[in-house]
Amino acid sequence: MDLALIIAKQVFELFILILCGVVIGKIKMVNEEGKGMLSNLLIYFVVPFMIINSYMSGYNAEILKNMGRMLFTAYLLYA
């Protein structure tokens, strides 16, 4: 699958999630506390799984090496 198509699909999924949040906020389905909980759910649960899902492909040593670099860099930035 073409890389641009994969990226476009990921961006589309994020826009759908954002649109759902906007609609729910506009119709006052959740209060302020609920908005914070939904934001935390997206940040700590949905986005990490989307990142992991973007790496789901056939095994390739180069991809594994780049993933290790990414995790190491993230650790350095977090520490």
Side-chain angles (χ1 to χ4, degrees), residues 33-72:
E33 182 181 328
K35 288 179 185 179
M37 292 173 69
L38 286 173
S39 295
N40 287 339
L41 176 70
L42 287 174
I43 291 171
Y44 295 115
F45 187 74
V46 174
V47 173
F49 278 106
M50 289 182 75
I51 292 170
I52 291 170
N53 187 40
S54 70
Y55 281 102
M56 299 300 244
S57 62
Y59 176 76
N60 185 342
E62 186 67 26
I63 292 174
L64 185 62
K65 188 168 83 173
N66 287 337
M67 191 174 197
R69 287 179 183 166
M70 179 209 52
L71 290 172
F72 180 71

Side-chain angles (χ1 to χ4, degrees), residues 5-49:
L5 185 60
I6 293 171
I7 293 171
K9 182 181 172 188
Q10 294 285 322
V11 170
F12 178 73
E13 289 175 7
L14 283 172
F15 277 122
I16 293 296
L17 290 171
I18 292 169
L19 181 63
C20 288
V22 168
V23 169
I24 288 171
K26 291 287 183 187
I27 63 174
K28 306 281 190 218
M29 187 179 257
V30 294
N31 58 12
E32 290 300 319
E33 182 181 328
K35 288 179 185 179
M37 292 173 69
L38 286 173
S39 295
N40 287 339
L41 176 70
L42 287 174
I43 291 171
Y44 295 115
F45 187 74
V46 174
V47 173
F49 278 106

